[in-house]
Amino acid sequence: MATLEINDLHVTVEADNATKEILRGVDLTVKQGETHAIMGPNGSGKSTLAYSLAGHPKYTVTGGTVTLDGEDVLAMTVDERARAGLFLAMQYPVEVPGVSVSNFLRTSATAIRGEAPKLRTWVKEVREAMERLSMDPAFAERNVNEGFSGGEKKRHEILQLELLKPHIAILDETDSGLDVDALRVVSEGVNRVREGGDVGTLLITHYTRILRYIKPDFVHVFAAGRIAESGGAELADKLEEEGYESYVKGGASA
Amino acid sequence: MADNTPAGSTTDGAITVGQPADARVSAAPSYDVADFPVPHGREEEWRFTPLERLRGLHDGTAEATGGLRVEVTAPDGVTVQTVDRTDPRVGRAGKPVDRVAAQAYSSFEKASVVSIPKEAILTEPVRIAVHGEGGTVYGHQVVEIGAFAEAVVVIEHTGDTTMAANVEYLVGDGAKLTVVSVQDWDDTAVHAAQHTALIGRDATFKSVVVTLGGDLVRLHPRVVYGAPGGEAELYGLYFTDEGQHQEHRLFIDHDTPHCRSNVAYKGALQGQDAHAVWIGDVLIRAAAEGTDTYELNRNLVLTDGARVDSVPNLEIETGEIVGAGHASATGRFDDEQLFYLQSRGMRADDARRLVVRGFFGELVQQIGLADLEERLMAKIDAELEASVG
């Protein structure tokens, strides 16, 4: 049973020759099979949490602990975290010129699984996963994220989620920039992975719209670098009606 | 009509600019070194080259003292000769265009001529293994292929040397010649050479230049068409490491109607003061109606401290052409790409290898020589191993 435990996490970033604290004591536990929505206004630190967990070098952890099944995540390199079962679906995945999607997926799967997938079953596995996400087979021969539309990038991220089968999936604003059709396709992909029951999901979003497709077990409101309020799915309804205003003000006076 | 496109980029923020067409050379081509002034480094054709690392090849002070071991393996029917400079085939493709090439032409003792008879279809490549044994060397090589013959010639350079040379390719009417020149020198070698191809009627010339080693390598591949219908494909691949200067200066002279040329050079750089220079000059003269040309240069900078200068230069004197284009771009393998690939479980070394193999893979496939494909990818892997490890 995979469990991600975040305790009192503090993270800073260097900007304009100054050190700025973005995360100010985050506490959160995500268990296998659970879906946690993290919602909050722009600049509240939601994405910083996602990238800090994945190990992006831009962020410095100044305090707190993160463990995955008791193992110290913060002591791991980026690739070790991924191989331990952590997956981050990125909001703005970068282009990787000269590397085809098909080569990229196979190299990733080989790294994560510890051995190269058998070619015959792998080709079928990828083709079927792409069909489920309504992706053209020709997509596999394009270079990673090169000239992808916003929707294609998100589908490609979710395709990786389906193929790499992580224990903990962090989805950073996967809904941003998607039209309703694309949002439905992407959400269905996430739900297929969730229904497997093996993954704990951390769904980071600014809007409540995606929560109509992906039902969270828990909703956390993120403000000023920490979780300001936690609740069930009903908390999202409250945010839908009232917005983040009360949290932003609260954050400013804190 | 001239199209001087500012292009290229460097990692330290400077941007190179297109050169004026009339400044391409500072002296008229000549066989005689005395017709060229000693370069001072500000001339258009020398401005990227660290002259002090040419060890006197450019100013007349480098005396021929060195040795070169050359082994030619040729299938039956191919003749290999050592000839004097009076041989009519020597110097036929064209004159030297800079002082170092003229120095080589003025200083070589004997030329080597590999001759593939007309209508011969070689099933095995001609292999020329050139091994530098130190010291200064001036060389001259001619590869001649008769009408309607087909051949692959592989020239491999290893060892240590300070060498200036001219290589001539005389491609007969309707012939198909593929030449692979691999510069796999020791990191101490200096190699400056002009490669001139004279392409006959309806002939095809394919050149693959692979530069991996050397302290300084400066190659000047040139294409001249002797009659209409000629086709030239020039591919290049370089991997420039710490401290290396690798310079490729191409010139395609379209002065004959209905000829084609296609250039694709790709380079990767890594390490402090790795410096790659790519100059792609294409001139379409008024008489060259029906010309079709395209040139491309791509660079991948893997680390800080490396520098690329990429200058495509297309000059068109007639509108009656099929097509003419060029592209140049320099990209970085940056921390965000590394993070993305690592976040998918790949170790940093594997991530870098994936990107570099992908980058060169497209070009290697385009070259279309199956056995070379594998050897090239193996060499690229070896370059990566050496640097990563």
Side-chain angles (χ1 to χ4, degrees), chain A residues 51 56 78-79 82-83 87-88 90 93-99 103-104 107-108 111-112 143 145 157 160, chain B residues 266 300 333-348 350 354-359 362:
Chain A
Y51 281 80
H56 194 287
V78 175
D79 49 305
R83 293 198 298 276
F87 178 85
L88 169 62
M90 298 191 198
V94 293
E95 294 179 5
V96 190
V99 178
N103 189 5
F104 169 75
T107 309
S108 303
I112 298 287
N143 288 336
N145 291 322
E157 292 294 290
Q160 296 165 54
Chain B
K266 282 187 161 192
L300 177 64
F333 179 63
D334 62 23
D335 292 344
E336 292 300 326
Q337 288 167 332
L338 182 62
F339 171 72
Y340 187 55
L341 297 173
Q342 279 189 287
S343 80
R344 299 312 184 240
M346 297 173 216
R347 290 175 175 83
D350 293 335
L354 179 74
V355 167
V356 172
R357 285 186 67 110
F359 175 74
E362 284 178 341

Side-chain angles (χ1 to χ4, degrees), chain B residues 117-121 145-151 170-178 198-205 226-231:
Chain B
K118 67 175 185 180
E119 294 176 22
I121 310 287
I145 180 168
F148 302 106
E150 293 182 18
L170 305 172
V171 188
D173 292 350
K176 289 191 163 82
L177 176 65
T178 296
L198 174 60
I199 300 175
R201 177 179 295 270
D202 299 328
T204 303
F205 174 66
E231 178 162 2

Side-chain angles (χ1 to χ4, degrees), chain B residues 94-109:
Chain B
K95 294 173 180 171
V97 297
D98 67 31
R99 184 173 162 109
V100 173
Q103 181 74 63
Y105 199 92
S106 299
S107 303
F108 77 88
E109 296 278 334

Side-chain angles (χ1 to χ4, degrees), chain B residues 11 17 22 35 62 135 139 148 151 202 211 294 338 347 362:
Chain B
T11 56
V17 293
D22 57 357
D35 291 340
F148 302 106
D202 299 328
T211 301
Y294 191 79
L338 182 62
R347 290 175 175 83
E362 284 178 341

Side-chain angles (χ1 to χ4, degrees), chain B residues 176-233:
Chain B
K176 289 191 163 82
L177 176 65
T178 296
V179 178
V180 182
S181 179
V182 181
Q183 289 64 244
D184 201 4
W185 299 109
D186 293 349
D187 285 344
T188 46
V190 171
H191 179 199
Q194 178 174 326
H195 296 174
T196 310
L198 174 60
I199 300 175
R201 177 179 295 270
D202 299 328
T204 303
F205 174 66
K206 184 190 276 196
S207 156
V208 182
V209 168
V210 181
T211 301
L212 306 170
D215 173 62
L216 183 152
V217 174
R218 186 179 191 273
L219 301 181
H220 204 148
R222 297 170 68 83
V223 169
V224 186
Y225 298 92
E231 178 162 2
E233 292 176 73

Side-chain angles (χ1 to χ4, degrees), chain B residues 57-374:
Chain B
L57 291 176
H58 65 296
D59 62 8
T61 60
E63 284 184 42
T65 54
L68 212 56
R69 199 170 69 232
V70 181
E71 285 167 28
V72 182
T73 315
D76 288 346
V78 176
T79 56
V80 181
Q81 295 167 282
T82 302
V83 303
D84 288 320
R85 62 174 59 243
T86 54
D87 189 286
R89 293 167 294 190
V90 173
R92 229 188 95 206
K95 294 173 180 171
V97 297
D98 67 31
R99 184 173 162 109
V100 173
Q103 181 74 63
Y105 199 92
S106 299
S107 303
F108 77 88
E109 296 278 334
K110 296 279 185 184
S112 164
V113 179
V114 170
S115 186
I116 298 142
K118 67 175 185 180
E119 294 176 22
I121 310 287
L122 302 189
T123 52
E124 285 292 307
V126 178
R127 296 189 182 280
I128 306 174
V130 179
H131 187 78
E133 297 181 319
T136 300
V137 178
Y138 295 103
H140 197 99
Q141 174 76 53
V142 177
V143 175
E144 173 192 43
I145 180 168
F148 302 106
E150 293 182 18
V152 175
V153 176
V154 179
I155 308 175
E156 228 159 328
H157 301 92
T158 56
D160 176 36
T161 192
T162 300
M163 180 167 85
N166 288 281
V167 183
E168 300 183 66
Y169 304 113
L170 305 172
V171 188
D173 292 350
K176 289 191 163 82
L177 176 65
T178 296
V179 178
V180 182
S181 179
V182 181
Q183 289 64 244
D184 201 4
W185 299 109
D186 293 349
D187 285 344
T188 46
V190 171
H191 179 199
Q194 178 174 326
H195 296 174
T196 310
L198 174 60
I199 300 175
R201 177 179 295 270
D202 299 328
T204 303
F205 174 66
K206 184 190 276 196
S207 156
V208 182
V209 168
V210 181
T211 301
L212 306 170
D215 173 62
L216 183 152
V217 174
R218 186 179 191 273
L219 301 181
H220 204 148
R222 297 170 68 83
V223 169
V224 186
Y225 298 92
E231 178 162 2
E233 292 176 73
L234 307 185
Y235 298 110
L237 186 162
Y238 45 92
F239 203 121
T240 314
D241 288 321
E242 182 176 348
Q244 287 184 318
H245 178 93
Q246 295 176 339
E247 180 168 350
H248 298 89
R249 315 179 61 88
L250 290 87
F251 178 57
I252 298 176
D253 191 353
H254 278 286
D255 61 351
T256 306
H258 303 291
C259 291
R260 291 186 297 277
S261 62
N262 182 38
V263 175
Y265 267 61
K266 282 187 161 192
L269 295 92
Q270 61 185 358
Q272 190 60 41
D273 298 324
H275 188 192
V277 179
W278 182 84
I279 310 292
D281 286 332
V282 175
L283 172 58
I284 304 174
R285 298 185 196 256
E289 293 184 359
T291 292
D292 192 0
T293 179
Y294 191 79
E295 53 171 351
L296 170 145
N297 177 231
R298 292 261 183 276
N299 296 285
L300 177 64
V301 178
L302 295 167
T303 67
D304 287 338
R307 178 188 165 103
V308 177
D309 292 286
S310 176
V311 189
N313 184 35
L314 179 59
E315 195 181 337
I316 306 173
E317 293 174 352
T318 171
E320 301 297 315
I321 58 169
V322 176
H326 61 200
S328 162
T330 297
R332 285 181 59 87
F333 179 63
D334 62 23
D335 292 344
E336 292 300 326
Q337 288 167 332
L338 182 62
F339 171 72
Y340 187 55
L341 297 173
Q342 279 189 287
S343 80
R344 299 312 184 240
M346 297 173 216
R347 290 175 175 83
D349 294 358
D350 293 335
R352 191 170 282 111
R353 188 174 298 115
L354 179 74
V355 167
V356 172
R357 285 186 67 110
F359 175 74
F360 284 124
E362 284 178 341
L363 179 69
V364 171
Q365 276 170 20
Q366 202 183 351
I367 292 169
L369 299 169
D371 49 338
L372 181 70
E373 207 169 296
E374 275 179 34

